[in-house]
Amino acid sequence: MTHHFLKIATWNINSVRARLPLLLAWLQQHKPDVLMLQEIKCEHAVFPFLEIEAMGYTALVHGQKSYNGVAILSTHPIQEKSRSLISEDNEPARFLCAEIEGVDCMNIYAPNGNPRMDDAGLTEKFRYKLRWYAALVADVQQRLSQHRAVVLAGDYNIIPEAVDAANAAAWEGDALYVPEVRKQWRHLMNLGLYDAWRTLHGTQQAYTFWDYQAGAFQRDDGIRIDHFLLTPSLADRLENCTIHREMRAKEKASDHVPVMISLGA
DNA sequence: ATGCCCTTCAGCGAAGGA
């Protein structure tokens, strides 16, 4: 079986319009085959198609006004497979799946889930995060039963382990780190998926998000919450995984940075 | 101590993020 060499990236861009110059410069420099964007924060009608298509990319957009929104950019032929994960009314735009070169590229922007508790107990926001992850696990399971090659990438809003935070103790009780949520991560891993960063870099500490507040980046008080999970045949092709930390130091930076993998032919 | 910051929409603050 022959494959295409593929560079696939993910980036929670925190508004594609506010970040367009940074996005175009990054694409020009790194030229990924595929880029999964989260938090584009716009509807399809105002997505910057012209500028992105001028760089040789086709854009598949699942937009929403003001909040959320995901998109997949590709230099290869792209076929949409799904944009719904959880069959509830008013589903926010947090999911988009497309087939590219025989790979199911699943772009996720998981619910944050905070605040986790209020006076009445677990909040609806937190319960929704758990339901959303249950639906994601079921969707991935379905694709695995069909022997699909799957790249599951995006903003998971999960700190998998203590090593994935500069100060794990500060995240105790937070919806990104509580045991119930880390258990959802383990459910995914136990389906047989490989964390691209962990696979290549072991327990080396690296972060993909630093809060805008309190000089978090200057203090390197970050967390690793943007991830690539791969099915085994794709993990076998994994050549590298890079976290583009330098993007956090730019003017008008997103609070997340790009993560990129290379898959061998 | 979810306040610090940033984005959107719609105004001259609120909501949401993580």
Side-chain angles (χ1 to χ4, degrees):
Chain A
M1 183 106 93
T2 62
H3 302 286
H4 289 265
F5 178 86
L6 284 176
K7 280 164 66 172
I8 307 178
T10 181
W11 192 5
N12 179 322
I13 198 161
N14 183 19
S15 172
V16 71
R17 291 178 292 173
R19 227 67 64 197
L20 189 59
L22 275 184
L23 171 62
L24 297 177
W26 188 83
L27 286 173
Q28 181 64 34
Q29 184 176 0
H30 296 283
K31 298 180 164 52
D33 296 278
V34 178
L35 173 59
M36 314 220 224
L37 291 172
Q38 302 88 36
E39 281 206 90
I40 60 173
K41 291 189 172 176
C42 68
E43 293 174 296
H44 184 280
V46 294
F47 186 87
F49 284 101
L50 281 181
E51 296 88 340
I52 286 169
E53 286 172 356
M55 302 209 51
Y57 290 89
T58 300
L60 190 60
V61 175
H62 184 189
Q64 180 181 330
K65 188 169 181 156
S66 304
Y67 304 117
N68 310 310
V70 290
I72 303 179
L73 315 187
S74 176
T75 59
H76 298 243
I78 176 169
Q79 185 185 353
E80 179 171 338
K81 296 193 78 170
S82 174
R83 57 176 61 203
S84 174
L85 194 61
I86 181 166
S87 45
E88 295 182 10
D89 290 339
N90 301 113
E91 179 178 354
R94 294 178 174 277
F95 180 71
L96 185 58
C97 178
E99 180 175 341
I100 300 167
E101 299 298 347
V103 177
D104 281 358
C105 295
M106 300 176 68
N107 181 4
I108 63 166
Y109 173 45
N112 175 301
N114 279 311
R116 177 170 165 272
M117 299 284 286
D118 63 15
D119 295 342
L122 292 181
T123 62
E124 173 54 25
K125 284 186 176 187
F126 187 74
R127 293 171 195 273
Y128 184 69
K129 184 175 192 174
L130 296 181
R131 290 203 300 282
W132 191 91
Y133 263 103
L136 178 65
V137 168
D139 188 288
V140 172
Q141 240 165 351
Q142 175 73 11
R143 291 177 201 283
L144 291 176
S145 73
Q146 295 163 357
H147 308 290
R148 301 292 308 168
V150 176
V151 168
L152 177 58
D155 176 357
Y156 286 62
N157 271 317
I158 296 179
I159 301 165
E161 306 285 348
V163 70
D164 298 307
N167 181 10
W171 295 91
E172 296 285 346
D174 190 281
L176 276 62
Y177 190 58
V178 286
E180 290 161 282
V181 164
R182 292 165 63 196
K183 187 173 182 177
Q184 301 303 313
W185 171 266
R186 291 199 305 279
H187 277 320
L188 287 169
M189 295 295 287
N190 292 341
L191 296 177
L193 302 180
Y194 289 80
D195 173 351
W197 176 263
R198 266 302 143 60
T199 298
L200 293 176
H201 300 284
T203 55
Q204 182 183 328
Q205 270 197 307
Y207 314 125
T208 64
F209 168 90
W210 297 260
D211 202 298
Y212 285 123
Q213 301 186 70
F217 183 62
Q218 287 69 23
R219 294 183 293 110
D220 199 21
D221 183 9
I223 52 180
R224 191 175 73 100
I225 56 174
D226 300 270
H227 308 292
F228 269 98
L229 290 181
L230 309 176
T231 46
S233 67
L234 295 177
D236 282 346
R237 293 168 55 193
L238 184 62
E239 293 185 351
N240 60 66
C241 178
T242 53
I243 295 175
H244 293 222
R245 176 191 176 91
E246 70 280 3
M247 294 305 291
R248 186 64 180 80
K250 303 280 189 188
E251 280 296 314
K252 290 264 290 177
S254 170
D255 40 7
H256 298 248
V257 297
V259 182
M260 186 162 70
I261 62 168
S262 296
L263 299 176

